[in-house]
Amino acid sequence: MKIIPFLLGAGVGYVLGARAGRERYEQIARAYRQVADHPSVQGAAGVARAKAGEAVQTGVAMAKEKVAPTGPSEGGQPSAPGRAAANGSGR
């Protein structure tokens, strides 16, 4: 069973974390804020955000190409079976 080692590890982690207490948490949080607020880290985060945005746009464009309608009913509306694709009145 793989669950027992996991539960034991989680329990040990909880106990050790609780013993470290609020003081250690505050120390870690201060160190994180110092790193996160550093100008070079901010610049790298901006570059990463821009690249992620470009990747999303590329993915959206590729998805649109794959699902774009092709053939005689490209007018945006699929034609119903047994009807002409562009009959004008719809009657």
Side-chain angles (χ1 to χ4, degrees):
M1 285 192 176
K2 293 182 180 183
I3 190 78
I4 299 214
F6 173 77
L7 291 174
L8 285 173
V12 169
Y14 176 78
V15 169
L16 292 176
R19 285 194 177 174
R22 183 77 179 176
E23 209 173 290
R24 178 68 177 144
Y25 169 78
E26 291 296 335
Q27 183 183 14
I28 292 169
R30 276 193 305 272
Y32 168 79
R33 282 191 296 270
Q34 282 180 336
V35 170
D37 291 341
H38 195 276
S40 63
V41 173
Q42 291 289 323
V47 169
R49 271 189 228 104
K51 292 210 182 256
E54 291 172 9
V56 167
Q57 292 301 323
T58 301
V60 167
M62 290 173 64
K64 283 183 179 179
E65 287 176 11
K66 290 192 183 269
V67 298
T70 57
S73 65
E74 278 190 25
Q77 297 271 343
S79 62
R83 291 190 175 199
N87 63 2
S89 66
R91 293 181 192 198

